[in-house]
Amino acid sequence: MELNEQRRLSVPCSFKNVRKLAAFVRDCCQGLLSDEEATLVELAVVEAANNIVSHSYRDSEGWPVELASRYADGFLDFLLSDRGLPFNPDCVPEPSFDWEAVDEIPEHGHGLFLIRSIMDDLRFIHQGDMNLTFLRKRVGSVSSSPAIDQAEFVCEEADPFQAILPKAPKPLKRPDDSGALAKTIPELASALSLQTEPETAFGKLCETMMVHFKASSCAIRLKKEGSLELAGNAGEDAKREQKSIECSKDGSLEAKAVSLGSEIFSEQPDKDGFLRLCLPLTGIGRLLGTATLSFRDMDLLLLAKERFPRELSNLVSVAVENQMLYAKALDSERSKKEMETAANLHKGIISMLIPNVPNLLIYAKSQPAMEVSGDYLSFHKAGESTLWFMVCDAMGKGMSASFFSILSHMTFQSVLFLQEDLDPGALLTLSNRILSRDFDRFEMFMTALVGKIDTAAGTLKYASAGHCPPIVQHPIGGIELLDTQDYMLGVDSDIDYKTYSIPFTKGMRMIAYTDGLTDIVGPDGEMVGIDPLVDAFSGEFRKGRNVLKACEKVFSSAVGSSTSRLQDDITLIGIECA
Amino acid sequence: MPSRLGILFKAFPSPPSIFSETEMPSGKSSVLKVAKRLDASNAVEFKTSAVAFLNDAAVKSLIIDFSETSFLDSAGLGALVSVLKAASQSKGRKFALASLSPHVRQIFELTKLYRLFEIYNSVEEASAELES
């Protein structure tokens, strides 16, 4: 996980799905904790999740369990949430056994003890209809643990889960503008529960605070790279005050408030006649910045200070933190839309339309691991009896792999457009020469299997650029892997790819695929591998299924057996000579 | 013609089991090998299998082989405690754990449950001890 990165995973409640959460945790720990520590953290989260399945949902499957994680300020945090029955950890006694009385040793009750032994912090919070289980693990040698203020979690209005899962914006609830100071913290919390467009959020936050504390102006400053940066102000007064606020950096109520960790105020008015009250804004384990309120009147300042308990700073901090995360969520949403556009372009450019070729049954399916695919699958019909097929897999996955798959697709199509009577080996050789320079510049490689089936001649010619060996099944006899030896595309521009040829007659079937299918990690944590794939097809064909049904069964089983999301793009084609 | 890698599979094998059982050459000890993970999703199945072994009159001792197990949670621990209780109630049946990975061993140490079980470095060592 990267610094300040956040991830989340939601699964239906079941012990089986707890394994998906476990895999998620292991992934989050990668690069941060040793294998030994990661296994223990995995265990702690698994115990907490098991607790939700057993106790919160009373073994009733299907209810939602969400796990969010983040890495920040030297801590790896996990937050499990559920909407089941609240859990009271005080009801679970510390394990204490009479070791001689084996029959009296309890079989349950070790989970909570294990979590507490492993993690640096564990909290159970019930908020609204939601239960939150917070687990924290220190990463590396952080000398001191920034305190997590309990107020962040117990305040009714400041939902800590919003900080991790920002909700859709809703209009700002304006406080009562009667002129009276807020009497209760919940009232103020309600006013500060800001969910609005990020561009205006800080201004509205300032307005809210001004109304409540009768201040002349207010500024929220967020810490950025060691300095305090003005991030928001409110109204004309605040704009006029901006200069003096900037000047006050040296004098530094902010610095004092930050260093003291508590609110501080100026006892003498500045040159413009303003008295200032400054609050440090402490986020989750880190300093976010400061909020400064300006007053003309010392009595008002003192009144506000009196009504400024520590919780206020926490409420503002949560609102600010939510707003920052909401802005990130909007960015993420924009990126997602861009990715959707890229995915649609990828699908549009690389058509997976299956041509109608007499005497051939053709299956083709592809599923990306991410939004866009680095796998490439395409057909090209030449005349009435000839079918070209291409199955490629660009190194990596996601956007970059997708770009190169489109590039190779256009190259194949261009070469075939100019010279359709090529052999597959020649097509790969020419395409590799065209692509190699660009592949080399971006250190990209691609595997490819190109085939040409001629039903009139009864042949299958193929060439491979380091691709997974295709499977061929004979109508009488066994199932076999065909030989594929040559280098991947992009390795060497001077390679001459070899064309292989085998008879492809009635009843024969050919299966081609990408390594996403063989590298699937099953429920037992092991990669499925190529042998079980061959084995699965052998079984399907023996049951009398044709290539369409056999491929669909294997493809859906493979996708279903993968833990959590797919590790790699998966592509499968099957062709049967009918 | 390309060279062939040969006909690979003649028969469709049975799906892999979560637990596999073997018998030591001496015939006195049965070994139940645990899967990669023993957790809440398979603890009940494990417990049922192990207790069924202990109820078999032919079985004199049962060794749980953890050589392939890298993850154990408290539900798995609870299942082991259950099996231990079943073994203590079946007269003369011996029960031991063998080949614990460092992680699995650590869980026993954290919970101090290592005090309850006979734990050996290998199945062979456990077998030799139980059959002596």
Side-chain angles (χ1 to χ4, degrees):
Chain A
M1 257 183 118
E2 301 292 328
L3 186 62
N4 296 324
E5 185 185 347
Q6 295 184 7
R7 300 178 186 177
R8 69 185 171 107
L9 175 67
S10 179
V11 296
C13 157
S14 75
F15 287 128
K16 189 178 171 190
N17 282 340
V18 170
R19 288 191 174 185
K20 293 182 180 174
L21 299 178
F24 173 87
V25 171
R26 285 304 288 243
D27 201 35
C28 292
C29 292
Q30 203 164 20
L32 297 177
L33 301 174
S34 67
D35 271 357
E36 188 181 328
E37 288 175 315
T39 307
L40 287 173
V41 170
E42 178 190 349
L43 174 62
V45 179
V46 162
E47 294 295 348
N50 284 345
N51 189 52
I52 290 171
V53 179
S54 299
H55 301 294
S56 290
Y57 290 130
R58 297 282 172 92
D59 294 321
S60 175
E61 295 193 350
W63 297 94
V65 180
E66 289 195 347
L67 174 60
S69 73
R70 70 179 156 201
Y71 169 50
D73 298 305
F75 291 93
L76 184 55
D77 296 337
F78 293 95
L79 189 69
L80 276 159
S81 66
D82 69 87
R83 295 180 185 275
L85 298 170
F87 175 66
N88 181 3
D90 297 334
C91 295
V92 182
E94 286 286 315
S96 174
F97 311 134
D98 175 0
W99 298 104
E100 299 304 316
V102 172
D103 289 341
E104 292 174 17
I105 302 286
E107 292 154 27
H108 304 286
H110 301 286
L112 193 57
F113 172 76
L114 281 170
I115 301 174
R116 285 185 169 137
S117 302
I118 294 165
M119 303 304 280
D120 294 311
D121 197 356
L122 169 68
R123 295 171 190 220
F124 295 95
I125 302 130
H126 183 63
Q127 203 158 56
D129 63 345
M130 187 178 282
N131 304 309
L132 303 172
T133 309
F134 176 84
L135 303 98
R136 163 166 280 193
K137 184 69 179 173
R138 181 174 297 165
V139 176
S141 56
V142 177
S143 56
S144 63
S145 165
I148 300 171
D149 203 308
Q150 189 69 10
E152 285 178 61
F153 296 114
V154 298
C155 175
E156 285 179 13
E157 300 296 334
D159 177 359
F161 212 72
Q162 286 178 15
I164 291 175
L165 305 172
K167 292 176 182 170
K170 60 183 180 185
L172 172 70
K173 183 180 176 185
R174 290 296 300 256
D176 177 8
D177 204 355
S178 63
L181 289 178
K183 290 190 174 76
T184 63
I185 289 299
E187 269 183 59
L188 192 59
S190 175
L192 292 180
S193 292
L194 296 168
Q195 287 293 332
T196 182
E197 293 299 323
E199 289 77 10
T200 56
F202 294 120
K204 288 187 174 178
L205 188 60
C206 291
E207 279 181 35
T208 308
M209 291 182 68
M210 285 168 65
V211 168
H212 275 274
F213 299 102
K214 303 193 80 172
S216 301
S217 69
C218 170
I220 305 291
R221 295 163 182 266
L222 298 187
K223 199 179 179 194
K224 188 178 181 184
E225 294 170 358
S227 63
L228 291 171
E229 177 185 310
L230 186 67
N233 54 53
E236 290 303 311
D237 282 350
K239 282 180 186 169
R240 283 201 299 276
E241 289 313 302
Q242 190 164 334
K243 189 177 174 188
S244 62
I245 290 172
E246 289 295 321
C247 291
S248 74
K249 272 185 185 174
D250 297 338
S252 236
L253 288 175
E254 289 95 340
K256 283 183 190 171
V258 167
S259 64
L260 293 173
S262 61
E263 70 274 10
I264 192 162
F265 65 98
S266 57
E267 295 182 8
Q268 297 297 324
D270 62 16
K271 60 183 172 58
D272 297 314
F274 283 102
L275 297 156
R276 303 191 192 284
L277 177 61
C278 191
L279 290 167
L281 302 177
T282 308
I284 301 174
R286 66 199 167 104
L287 182 74
L288 293 170
T290 55
T292 305
L293 290 155
S294 301
F295 297 87
R296 292 274 184 196
D297 188 323
M298 177 58 89
D299 289 340
L300 272 179
L301 185 151
L302 291 175
L303 185 57
K305 181 178 178 298
E306 191 182 325
R307 302 281 174 89
F308 260 152
R310 178 77 178 160
E311 287 84 345
L312 173 61
S313 170
N314 292 321
L315 292 174
V316 176
S317 300
V318 170
V320 169
E321 181 126 45
N322 282 346
Q323 202 52 59
M324 292 164 71
L325 288 165
Y326 179 64
K328 280 186 190 172
L330 284 187
D331 277 347
S332 171
E333 187 63 26
R334 283 187 206 106
S335 300
K336 192 178 167 192
K337 282 183 181 165
E338 289 293 316
M339 289 296 278
E340 283 172 3
T341 305
N344 288 335
L345 278 172
H346 186 272
K347 283 179 191 165
I349 292 171
I350 303 180
S351 167
M352 271 184 49
L353 284 178
I354 300 173
N356 182 19
V357 180
N359 301 321
L360 289 184
L361 285 177
I362 305 169
Y363 175 94
K365 206 163 191 177
S366 186
Q367 178 144 336
M370 302 173 80
E371 282 74 6
V372 290
S373 178
D375 278 8
Y376 154 44
L377 160 65
S378 185
F379 296 98
H380 175 82
K381 188 178 173 187
E384 275 308 298
S385 63
T386 301
L387 175 75
W388 283 88
F389 64 85
M390 299 102 185
V391 185
C392 308
D393 184 1
M395 190 178 70
K397 50 185 181 287
M399 189 68 87
S400 63
S402 168
F403 273 127
F404 282 96
S405 66
I406 290 173
L407 192 60
S408 65
H409 169 71
M410 298 310 292
T411 306
F412 288 145
Q413 293 298 315
S414 302
V415 173
L416 279 178
F417 179 78
L418 294 170
Q419 198 174 348
E420 207 170 54
D421 59 349
L422 286 172
D423 276 340
L427 174 59
L428 279 184
T429 301
L430 285 170
S431 301
N432 182 51
R433 281 178 192 158
I434 296 167
L435 291 165
S436 278
R437 184 181 297 173
D438 287 327
F439 274 30
D440 190 43
R441 279 195 301 133
F442 292 95
E443 298 182 336
M444 170 58 73
F445 302 106
M446 176 181 276
T447 70
L449 177 77
V450 174
K452 185 180 183 183
I453 294 174
D454 186 338
T455 55
T459 58
L460 162 62
K461 293 180 180 178
Y462 69 94
S464 171
H467 199 78
C468 308
I471 300 168
V472 163
Q473 199 249 354
H474 300 269
I476 302 171
I479 191 164
E480 65 178 330
L481 288 174
L482 298 185
D483 198 8
T484 54
Q485 298 288 341
D486 291 324
Y487 289 112
M488 290 185 282
L489 298 176
V491 172
D492 181 352
S493 61
D494 294 330
I495 291 175
D496 285 324
Y497 287 94
K498 183 180 174 184
T499 296
Y500 299 100
S501 180
I502 61 169
F504 196 66
T505 52
K506 186 170 182 177
M508 287 185 72
R509 289 131 173 180
M510 190 283 311
I511 308 294
Y513 50 94
T514 55
D515 62 3
L517 201 61
T518 52
D519 291 352
I520 281 176
V521 177
D524 60 354
E526 301 290 346
M527 281 191 179
V528 171
I530 199 166
D531 293 349
L533 182 67
V534 177
D535 200 18
F537 275 109
S538 178
E540 292 301 314
F541 291 142
R542 211 170 31 249
K543 288 173 190 167
R545 290 184 173 139
N546 68 17
V547 78
L548 304 180
K549 288 182 178 172
C551 285
E552 183 54 38
K553 179 78 165 88
V554 170
F555 191 92
S556 55
S557 301
V559 172
S561 70
S562 175
T563 55
S564 61
R565 67 183 295 169
L566 290 174
Q567 303 296 310
D568 196 2
D569 307 323
I570 287 180
T571 297
L572 177 66
I573 70 169
I575 302 174
E576 177 174 327
C577 190
Chain B
M1 284 281 285
S3 64
R4 305 292 174 88
L5 296 183
I7 305 298
L8 285 179
F9 290 93
K10 299 282 185 192
F12 195 75
S14 57
S17 169
I18 299 174
F19 312 105
S20 61
E21 55 189 75
T22 54
E23 197 170 274
M24 293 305 287
S26 63
K28 293 179 182 172
S29 297
S30 288
V31 180
L32 192 58
K33 182 179 273 190
V34 185
K36 197 174 176 66
R37 298 174 73 93
L38 179 55
D39 57 16
S41 71
N42 61 3
V44 173
E45 189 183 346
F46 166 77
K47 178 178 157 184
T48 307
S49 302
V51 171
F53 259 92
L54 290 169
N55 290 335
D56 184 344
V59 173
K60 301 297 178 198
S61 59
L62 176 62
I63 301 166
I64 308 295
D65 178 3
F66 282 94
S67 59
E68 291 183 2
T69 309
S70 57
F71 186 88
L72 173 72
D73 71 1
S74 67
L77 272 179
L80 287 167
V81 171
S82 284
V83 179
L84 178 71
K85 288 179 182 176
S88 71
Q89 288 164 1
S90 59
K91 288 181 181 176
R93 300 280 198 287
K94 293 178 180 175
F95 178 60
L97 314 180
S99 303
L100 276 59
S101 70
H103 167 70
V104 172
R105 191 174 286 273
Q106 190 172 17
I107 305 308
F108 277 94
E109 286 168 4
L110 277 173
T111 55
K112 297 187 171 56
L113 287 176
Y114 64 87
R115 296 179 183 181
L116 288 178
F117 295 91
E118 289 186 44
I119 299 175
Y120 297 94
N121 289 328
S122 67
V123 170
E124 291 73 21
E125 191 182 315
S127 174
E129 191 64 32
L130 296 184
E131 293 171 15
S132 64

